[in-house]
């Protein structure tokens, strides 16, 4: 099916020869029999679930040195997390699952609340700090039968820490390369029936020159290139109240301000200033054989950002006689988005082997983007979009001895309207588009069977639905010589996903999990070069068909009381199978998706309160355009870390990233090379 590369062979040998010895080599590790909730929206043992699930637990988060959740995703099979450094701007963070590029095809949740923003499906990973995260559950494969939109490739659920009884606190401080300074704090209190938690963090970095040599020389001269820095502020608050033993209320609020500095040496230029507010309230009722949850949430976002022209160039719109001359700032943009939603579900145990869950959701959002042009006083360009989503689902879980069956189905409705207008009447693609809507039924079936007590066969098949976001539908932008047009007639994507896996647990000391997946999709949304237009002029289109298939392998081994190993390997093949508009693209790989990924990590518990880790991470070649004529090269990075416990509640840490000083290519940018940071953690 797939050729065995040298990396594939090496990892296969590691898993095949090394892990079986865990039976004799280690003490039991209870983390290998996790209880998870994201795969079924109910609490189930990970061994009874038909989906491929990876859990990033509290201990792994603590040892990682990560400050945002997307950094934790490195090493999860089937997931490509592309942000290169914590100081990198949030707007270039990308997270793809199972060979399906684009933020909109992976649903990200925080305690069940969706984080993909309305405008472009981007996730503000900078808002997801690790200081108050208990665990992260990554469920790969079709998730729309329970979650609806965005859950085409998988679901990532960030689960917050439970507030512990009494008064507790934690303070962190770090300093490192690129003059990066970070501080974070958390304080919580829990009494008999109520409690609260407050958290805050701040990160500031001078950043680095992120420009790729092959692009910056032709479009941005050295005199206009600048380091790209950042300032990130996060504030969070949580409160809960137990009405009685059966009824619970909790409220959450978070705030993010993410400022990107530099990028261009242009006076008055603002790369990005993004703010986001998120508030939610949750009610839970616990019956003898049931559980009911209702969640209300609202997210408000605002961003200011400028776009720069190519050097010494006049914007293509500023060419008519009598119009003012060129400005190095093409336009100043204001982005406003809002989403409000409600989720509800109830789960009932019908005997000891049967569980029925049903529920629904409704969400409504709108966005407005306003561009103003310094070279043309009075010119205003306004984009508006509205999206409404609603759905109801039903799930049946049946357990009979060694056999577990999961059947689910969801009816989904999507509705949108929007407009694009420019006071400059000659600008193309202007108009207003009234309500469009589409409905879909999204079934899924999964099963797992314990061939032996520790050998589990699992598989699933399901349909997914992913609607185009507002930027794909109505957004038109021009940055120097690059012009991107939206398409208000885009169709929602539909996919059919299958997978089959085999998991083996070596007692409670180790496991090996393997999964083969195969996804076919229709009306897959992509960006292509406009035929006959200048390079950089692009359109949004629906590919008639694409296919993504691959193999995931992951393992974990508690080799001894003081050494643990974990590794993963992903082979992926994502191609365009049908595109009547341009047959030459058929058979081409989808952009930005690595065909190979491999990861190996070792953690050590040493004498004198020392712990250490070492990481090797390989990312294979990715195509950077739809014609597969240009690529991002493969790279391997090596990381290491050391921590020292000074007292029971105080410790020091040292983190070394990219030891080989590899300035590898991300999606349009390059990595900073070797960086180092040191910090102090204090608890009370």
């Amino acid at each position: 099916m797939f050729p065995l590369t040298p990396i594939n062979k090496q990892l296969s040998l590691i898993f095949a020869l090394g892990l079986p010895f865990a039976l004799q080599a280690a003490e039991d590790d209870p983390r290998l029999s996790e209880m998870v909730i994201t795969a079924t929206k109910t609490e189930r043992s990970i061994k009874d679930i038909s989906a491929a699930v990876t859990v990033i637990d509290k201990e792994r988060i603590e040892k990682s040195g990560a400050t945002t959740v997307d950094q934790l995703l490195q090493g999860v099979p089937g997931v490509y997390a592309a942000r290169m450094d914590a100081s990198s701007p949030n707007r270039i963070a990308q997270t793809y699952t199972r060979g399906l590029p684009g933020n909109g095809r992976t649903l990200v949740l925080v305690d069940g609340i969706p984080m993909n923003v309305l405008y472009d499906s981007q996730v503000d990973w900078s808002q997801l700090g690790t200081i108050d995260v208990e665990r992260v559950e990554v469920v790969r494969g079709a998730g729309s039968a329970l979650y609806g939109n965005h859950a085409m490739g998988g679901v990532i659920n960030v689960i917050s820490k439970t507030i512990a009884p009494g008064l507790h606190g934690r303070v962190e401080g770090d300093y490192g390369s690129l003059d990066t300074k970070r501080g974070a704090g958390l304080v919580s209190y829990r009494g008999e029936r109520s409690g609260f938690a407050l958290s805050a963090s701040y990160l500031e970095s001078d950043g680095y020159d992120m420009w790729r040599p092959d692009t910056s020389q032709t479009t941005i001269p050295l005199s206009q290139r600048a380091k790209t820095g950042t300032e990130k502020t996060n504030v969070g608050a949580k409160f809960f109240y137990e009405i009685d033993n059966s009824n619970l209320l909790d409220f959450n609020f978070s705030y993010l301000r993410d400022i990107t500095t530099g990028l261009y040496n242009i006076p008055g230029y603002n790369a990005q200033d993004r703010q986001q507010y998120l508030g939610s309230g949750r009610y839970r009722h616990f019956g003898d054989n049931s559980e009911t949850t209702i969640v209300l949430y609202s997210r408000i976002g605002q961003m200011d950002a400028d776009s720069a022209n190519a050097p010494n160039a006049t914007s293509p719109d500023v060419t008519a006689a009598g119009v003012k001359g060129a400005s190095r700032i093409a336009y100043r943009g204001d982005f406003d988005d809002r989403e409000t939603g409600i989720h509800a579900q109830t789960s009932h145990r019908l005997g000891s082997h049967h569980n029925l869950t049903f529920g629904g959701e409704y969400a409504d959002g709108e966005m407005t983007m306003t561009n103003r042009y310094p070279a043309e006083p009075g010119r205003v360009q306004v984009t508006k979009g509205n999206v409404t989503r609603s759905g109801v689902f039903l799930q049946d879980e049946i357990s009979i001895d060694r056999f577990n069956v999961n059947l689910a189905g969801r009816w989904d409705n999507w509705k949108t309207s929007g407009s694009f207008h420019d006071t400059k009447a000659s600008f193309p693609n202007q108009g207003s588009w009234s309500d469009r809507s589409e409905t879909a039924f999204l079934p899924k079936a999964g099963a797992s069977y314990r061939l032996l007590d520790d050998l589990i066969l699992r598989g699933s098949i399901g349909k997914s639905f992913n609607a185009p976001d507002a930027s794909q539908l109505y957004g038109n932008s021009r940055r120097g010589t690059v012009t991107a047009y939206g398409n208000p007639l885009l169709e929602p994507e539909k996919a059919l996903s299958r997978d089959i896996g085999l998991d083996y647990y070596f007692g409670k000391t180790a496991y090996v999990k393997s999964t083969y997946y195969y996804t076919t999709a229709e009306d897959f949304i992509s960006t292509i070069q406009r035929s006959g237009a200048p390079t950089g002029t692009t359109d949004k289109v629906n590919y008639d068909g694409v296919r993504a298939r691959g193999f995931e392998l992951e393992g974990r081994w508690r080799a001894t009381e003081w050494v643990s190993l974990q590794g993963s390997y992903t082979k992926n093949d994502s191609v365009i199978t049908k595109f009547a508009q341009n047959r030459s693209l058929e058979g081409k790989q989808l952009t930005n998706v690595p065909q190979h990924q491999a990861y190996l990590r070792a953690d050590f518990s040493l004498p004198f309160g020392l712990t250490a880790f070492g990481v090797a991470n390989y990312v294979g070649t990715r195509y950077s355009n739809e014609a597969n004529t240009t690529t991002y090269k493969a790279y391997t990075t090596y990381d290491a870390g050391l921590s020292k416990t000074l007292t029971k509640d105080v410790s020091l840490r040292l983190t070394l990233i990219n030891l080989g000083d590899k300035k590898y290519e991300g999606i349009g940018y390059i990595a900073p090379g070797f960086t180092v940071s040191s910090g102090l953690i204090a608890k009370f």
Side-chain angles (χ1 to χ4, degrees):
M1 186 190 312
F2 297 120
L4 277 176
T5 64
I7 291 176
N8 194 343
K9 292 178 181 177
Q10 292 169 13
L11 283 173
S12 298
L13 285 172
I14 290 171
F15 289 123
L17 300 178
L19 287 173
F21 291 101
L23 278 169
Q24 296 86 27
E27 297 179 356
D28 285 354
D29 186 350
R31 294 171 297 165
L32 301 181
S33 55
E34 301 268 8
M35 300 297 291
V36 297
I37 60 173
T38 309
T40 61
K41 287 194 170 185
T42 58
E43 190 174 63
R44 298 293 303 274
S45 167
I46 197 170
K47 293 183 177 181
D48 295 333
I49 291 174
S50 59
V53 181
T54 296
V55 176
I56 305 170
D57 59 27
K58 182 178 180 180
E59 181 178 344
R60 186 167 162 186
I61 294 170
E62 191 77 19
K63 291 180 177 179
S64 69
T67 57
T68 57
V69 171
D70 59 322
Q71 296 171 291
L72 294 171
L73 301 175
Q74 185 186 71
V76 176
V79 176
Y80 173 48
R83 183 152 58 160
M84 298 156 285
D85 184 78
S87 70
S88 300
N90 185 74
R91 64 185 176 84
I92 69 169
Q94 306 285 322
T95 302
Y96 307 154
T97 307
R98 284 202 166 166
L100 301 176
N103 292 294
R105 299 183 182 101
T106 300
L107 176 64
V108 178
L109 307 169
V110 174
D111 298 325
I113 296 171
M115 296 299 292
N116 303 74
V117 301
L118 178 71
Y119 173 65
D120 58 2
S121 302
Q122 179 87 356
V123 175
D124 282 314
W125 291 106
S126 297
Q127 194 170 19
L128 306 182
T130 56
I131 191 169
D132 59 352
V133 174
E134 179 73 21
R135 57 199 273 117
V136 181
E137 297 180 0
V138 182
V139 181
R140 303 183 295 283
S144 292
L146 293 179
Y147 293 97
N149 197 44
H150 296 310
M152 179 178 285
V155 179
I156 300 171
N157 191 14
V158 182
I159 299 171
S160 300
K161 290 179 179 177
T162 301
I163 300 175
L167 179 65
H168 300 276
R170 179 185 178 109
V171 177
E172 300 178 2
D174 296 273
Y175 179 77
S177 303
L178 315 178
D179 197 22
T180 300
K181 299 176 282 289
R182 174 183 172 270
L186 171 68
V187 62
S188 67
Y189 174 78
R190 178 170 184 160
E192 183 177 351
R193 287 196 173 273
S194 63
F196 70 88
L198 302 174
S199 62
S201 67
Y202 178 78
L203 184 145
E204 177 182 324
S205 177
D206 288 349
Y208 63 100
D209 183 350
M210 302 175 63
W211 297 101
R212 286 176 52 202
D214 59 333
T215 59
S216 60
Q217 296 295 336
T218 57
T219 62
I220 307 297
L222 293 174
S223 61
Q224 289 187 20
R225 288 165 50 183
K227 292 192 298 183
T228 305
T230 189
E231 298 174 21
K232 305 178 193 294
T233 304
N234 284 283
V235 177
K238 302 175 184 180
F239 172 79
F240 81 89
Y241 176 68
E242 293 181 5
I243 300 172
D244 53 40
N245 292 335
S246 300
N247 298 280
L248 175 67
L249 286 172
D250 67 73
F251 302 92
N252 295 272
F253 170 81
S254 65
Y255 166 77
L256 162 72
R257 186 171 188 186
D258 182 13
I259 302 173
T260 301
T261 59
L263 195 64
Y264 296 102
N265 285 315
I266 298 177
Y269 180 83
N270 169 37
Q272 174 186 289
D273 187 346
R274 166 81 175 167
Q275 297 185 73
Q276 180 165 275
Y277 303 83
L278 176 63
S280 67
R282 185 188 319 263
Y283 166 74
R284 299 179 71 183
H285 171 75
F286 304 92
D288 292 337
N289 294 293
S290 66
E291 182 176 338
T292 301
T293 303
I294 301 174
V295 179
L296 292 166
Y297 72 91
S298 182
R299 179 174 52 245
I300 299 172
Q302 195 278 329
M303 183 173 73
D304 303 322
D306 296 341
S307 177
N309 276 326
N312 306 315
T314 300
S315 165
D317 299 333
V318 191
T319 56
V323 176
K324 285 192 175 184
S327 167
R328 287 194 292 174
I329 298 177
Y331 63 77
R332 301 189 185 278
D334 298 320
F335 302 75
D336 296 278
D337 59 86
R338 174 201 59 81
E339 180 176 345
T340 302
I342 180 172
H343 298 174
Q345 75 172 57
T346 183
S347 182
H348 298 265
R349 291 183 294 278
L350 308 177
S352 58
H353 304 291
H354 194 191
N355 196 68
L356 194 67
T357 304
F358 58 92
E361 71 170 291
Y362 175 84
D364 178 78
E366 61 185 6
M367 59 76 56
T368 302
M369 180 176 72
T370 305
N371 293 328
R372 293 177 173 82
Y373 293 76
E376 300 175 89
R379 182 184 175 189
V380 180
Q381 189 180 76
V382 179
T383 304
K384 292 186 177 182
N386 178 269
V387 175
T388 301
R389 300 189 304 271
S390 57
V392 292
F393 71 88
L394 176 66
Q395 175 183 248
D396 195 7
E397 300 171 84
I398 302 171
S399 300
I400 303 174
D401 194 23
R402 295 174 175 266
F403 194 54
N404 293 277
V405 178
N406 178 279
L407 302 173
R410 177 181 170 116
W411 174 85
D412 234 43
N413 177 264
W414 165 76
K415 181 187 293 184
T416 185
S417 62
S419 62
F420 173 73
H421 294 289
D422 194 324
T423 54
K424 185 166 187 167
S426 60
F427 196 92
N429 277 33
Q430 296 192 53
S432 297
W433 296 272
S434 56
D435 286 348
R436 293 176 55 212
S437 65
E438 187 159 336
T439 60
F441 177 65
L442 309 166
K444 184 175 182 179
S448 67
Y449 181 71
R450 294 199 182 198
L451 301 170
L452 302 171
D453 286 344
D454 292 316
L455 181 63
I456 302 163
L457 178 67
R458 53 179 170 78
S460 67
I461 181 170
K463 287 188 174 181
S464 293
F465 175 91
N466 186 55
D469 57 46
S471 68
Q472 294 169 333
L473 289 164
Y474 312 114
N476 300 282
S477 64
R478 178 164 287 166
R479 183 184 294 271
T481 58
V482 176
T483 306
Y485 291 112
N487 180 355
L489 302 180
L490 286 173
E491 292 292 330
E493 302 171 328
K494 284 80 71 175
L496 177 64
S497 300
R498 316 87 159 161
D499 63 27
I500 185 168
L502 189 66
D503 304 340
Y504 189 71
Y505 291 82
F506 299 88
K508 293 182 178 180
T509 60
Y511 64 71
V512 178
K513 300 181 180 183
S514 59
T515 306
Y516 172 75
Y517 60 88
Y518 191 97
T519 299
T520 54
E522 299 176 356
D523 296 320
F524 195 84
I525 299 169
S526 188
T527 301
I528 66 168
Q529 168 69 34
R530 176 178 289 189
S531 179
T535 301
T537 303
T538 62
D539 291 300
K540 300 293 187 297
V541 298
N542 288 111
Y543 291 146
D544 301 303
V546 303
R547 183 262 297 147
R549 65 179 180 182
F551 175 72
E552 301 166 346
L553 183 67
E554 66 174 315
R556 191 169 185 171
W557 178 20
R558 184 94 172 187
T560 70
E561 188 176 351
W562 54 275
V563 178
S564 62
L565 302 173
Q566 65 185 66
S568 66
Y569 171 73
T570 304
K571 162 64 179 171
N572 180 77
D573 180 41
S574 299
V575 299
I576 304 165
T577 57
K578 185 178 180 181
F579 187 39
Q581 182 177 325
N582 185 352
R583 296 288 186 185
S584 67
L585 295 183
E586 294 179 356
K588 302 296 186 183
Q589 293 281 327
L590 296 181
T591 58
N592 299 322
V593 180
Q595 296 182 58
H596 296 273
Q597 286 182 264
Y599 176 89
L600 189 61
R601 178 182 176 114
D603 286 281
F604 306 92
S605 297
L606 305 174
F608 309 110
L610 292 170
T611 62
F613 73 83
V615 173
N617 186 53
Y618 172 82
V619 175
T621 301
R622 297 138 290 148
Y623 289 102
S624 58
N625 67 355
E626 72 279 1
N628 292 179
T629 57
T630 58
T631 63
Y632 298 125
K633 297 178 181 178
Y635 63 88
T636 302
T637 58
Y638 303 94
D639 307 331
L642 181 69
S643 64
K644 164 66 175 174
T645 300
L646 300 179
T647 68
K648 178 183 176 182
D649 298 318
V650 179
S651 61
L652 297 173
R653 66 183 175 194
L654 177 69
T655 306
L656 309 171
I657 303 296
N658 197 356
L659 287 164
D661 199 26
K662 183 75 173 180
K663 296 188 177 181
Y664 59 89
E665 300 168 294
I667 299 175
Y669 299 89
I670 62 171
F674 171 68
T675 60
V676 58
S677 67
S678 59
L680 181 143
I681 301 170
K683 306 174 186 178
F684 63 85

